[in-house]
Amino acid sequence: MEAMRRIPDATVDRLPVYLRVLDDLTASRSTTVSSEQLADLAGMNAAKVRKDLSYLGSYGVRGVGYDVDYLRFEITSQLGLGQQSGVAIVGLGNLGRALANHAGLTVRGFPVTALLDTDARKVGTSVSGVTISHLDALSPDDGIAIGIITTPPGVAQDVADRLVAAGVRAILNFAPIVLTVPEHVALRSVDVTLELQVLSFYASHQGSGTAAAHGS
Amino acid sequence: MEAMRRIPDATVDRLPVYLRVLDDLTASRSTTVSSEQLADLAGMNAAKVRKDLSYLGSYGVRGVGYDVDYLRFEITSQLGLGQQSGVAIVGLGNLGRALANHAGLTVRGFPVTALLDTDARKVGTSVSGVTISHLDALSPDDGIAIGIITTPPGVAQDVADRLVAAGVRAILNFAPIVLTVPEHVALRSVDVTLELQVLSFYASHQGSGTAAAHGS
């Protein structure tokens, strides 16, 4: 890969948004896109788009723009989306089930290959064709790349530790608690209450403008 | 309020995290906290914590730290959490139901006061004691402050437009699509696939360190 410069975290956050827009452009048979168009479709400004894409070593051609296919290829490579990454969902409450039923995950390269819980009434039952296993059965042999934690907060750190021990390199945490993971494990947290509190800030400071989309 | 400087978006994103840590400290009867402790508990670095809190006009006392109660008060005020903000959830699929059942929302000041769908089989049934109404019944009289969109992407923009017309000032969007709202409406999007793609980046660039928590 050409771009070995460290890509800023904020840029990484936006790459999937660009990818989604580029997918839509491909579907509508567009072969080139200007930074202005891309910015408009992604809900950002054109200067930021150009800066972000420059970290990939991609510079649009003046008057022509970017090649849609090539840009998709570059972003897909950078995001490591070349191969499928098996996902385990731990905690099959309402949210866990909602995610297990989320057909879009497989389509986007994140097939849910394991469902884990500790509730004896749930173990052995299936969601979307995947049987729920006991958390104790989790093993490095499962080849899970990403773990999604949808457990109550009190057990989330223990679950994270077990996922790390099983070789998981990335964790998406929905439990409302700050988790600690080793340096080599990537961690993101989604907390609906935090999102609502941030929205509350902007709603109560009218005229402060629109909050950043996509949590970035 | 003292701090009339514009608080940067990234700082706003972190205020709810500080608030959660301060709530925990109060529960454990701590009355003061150093920036180092606060940073450690929030999973950030101390310099950033001090900078963030300085935007609130809060400066810790050297050797003592910050007063927990006063800091909670300041953050709560800034976030506009003084009064309850009624929440409407539009789209009662798996995710919508999971959120409607999320007891933590009411506790944190975001009671779910309306559930809306267009499916005749769902309208009239209840989730967590709230009856699902038809989306067409949405009106400014409902006094909804925040709308949560958990519909399929194809109808999400129409739902957003209706929420805005009903006077909603903030929208949390779970549909995988970029929405357009007027300047005065705050918008945040949570997209599980985007989160997984960002995690995939860090997991495939080992040694790049831990991704930022809380989507920031």
Side-chain angles (χ1 to χ4, degrees), chain B residues 60-71:
Chain B
V61 178
R62 190 170 294 272
V64 178
Y66 298 85
D67 184 87
V68 170
D69 274 351
Y70 185 63
L71 203 48

Side-chain angles (χ1 to χ4, degrees), chain A residues 9 20 79 191 200 202 215, chain B residues 9 20 79 188 191 200 202 215:
Chain A
D9 290 349
R20 174 149 302 156
L79 291 175
D191 185 325
S200 173
Y202 292 103
Chain B
D9 290 348
R20 175 150 300 158
L79 291 176
R188 303 267 295 184
D191 184 325
S200 173
Y202 292 103

Side-chain angles (χ1 to χ4, degrees), chain B:
Chain B
M1 235 166 301
E2 195 180 324
M4 293 309 287
R5 275 185 292 173
R6 172 133 168 56
I7 301 178
D9 290 348
T11 296
V12 173
D13 281 359
R14 289 187 287 266
L15 293 182
V17 182
Y18 299 138
L19 185 59
R20 175 150 300 158
V21 169
L22 293 167
D23 285 347
D24 291 346
L25 287 169
T26 300
S28 64
R29 295 168 190 277
S30 303
T31 55
T32 57
V33 63
S34 68
S35 55
E36 286 78 13
Q37 280 176 291
L38 192 49
D40 194 41
L41 292 166
M44 297 167 195
N45 77 65
K48 187 175 276 186
V49 169
R50 284 190 294 271
K51 180 79 181 162
D52 281 346
L53 299 183
S54 75
Y55 287 109
L56 305 179
S58 238
Y59 300 91
V61 178
R62 190 170 294 272
V64 178
Y66 298 85
D67 184 87
V68 170
D69 274 351
Y70 185 63
L71 203 48
R72 275 178 82 202
F73 168 78
E74 281 188 291
I75 294 177
T76 302
S77 305
Q78 273 298 330
L79 291 176
L81 302 177
Q83 75 280 24
Q84 303 261 304
S85 295
V87 171
I89 298 174
V90 188
L92 276 300
N94 283 304
L95 180 59
R97 276 170 202 276
L99 293 173
N101 281 315
H102 187 338
L105 296 188
T106 302
V107 175
R108 299 266 170 191
F110 300 101
V112 176
T113 53
L115 300 178
L116 302 161
D117 206 300
T118 54
D119 184 341
R121 288 164 301 182
K122 292 177 182 168
V123 172
T125 65
S126 299
V127 181
S128 283
V130 179
T131 304
I132 301 175
S133 303
H134 196 285
L135 180 60
D136 291 344
L138 179 65
S139 128
D141 299 337
D142 297 336
I144 296 163
I146 301 178
I148 300 182
I149 299 178
T150 48
T151 65
V155 299
Q157 182 63 55
D158 176 55
V159 168
D161 295 344
R162 287 171 182 236
L163 287 167
V164 170
V168 165
R169 286 167 302 148
I171 292 176
L172 180 55
N173 173 40
F174 284 86
I177 186 173
V178 178
L179 296 179
T180 306
V181 295
E183 272 283 305
H184 71 280
V185 176
L187 171 68
R188 303 267 295 184
S189 291
V190 174
D191 184 325
V192 174
T193 307
L194 296 195
E195 296 292 334
L196 292 174
Q197 290 178 335
V198 171
L199 281 173
S200 173
F201 173 88
Y202 292 103
S204 63
H205 290 72
Q206 288 214 341
S208 300
T210 304
H214 305 289
S216 65

Side-chain angles (χ1 to χ4, degrees), chain A residues 34-69:
Chain A
S34 68
S35 55
E36 287 78 14
Q37 279 177 292
L38 192 48
D40 194 42
L41 293 166
M44 297 167 195
N45 76 65
K48 187 175 274 185
V49 168
R50 284 190 294 269
K51 180 80 179 160
D52 282 345
L53 299 183
S54 74
Y55 288 109
L56 305 179
S58 238
Y59 301 90
V61 176
R62 191 172 291 274
V64 178
Y66 298 86
D67 184 87
V68 170
D69 274 350

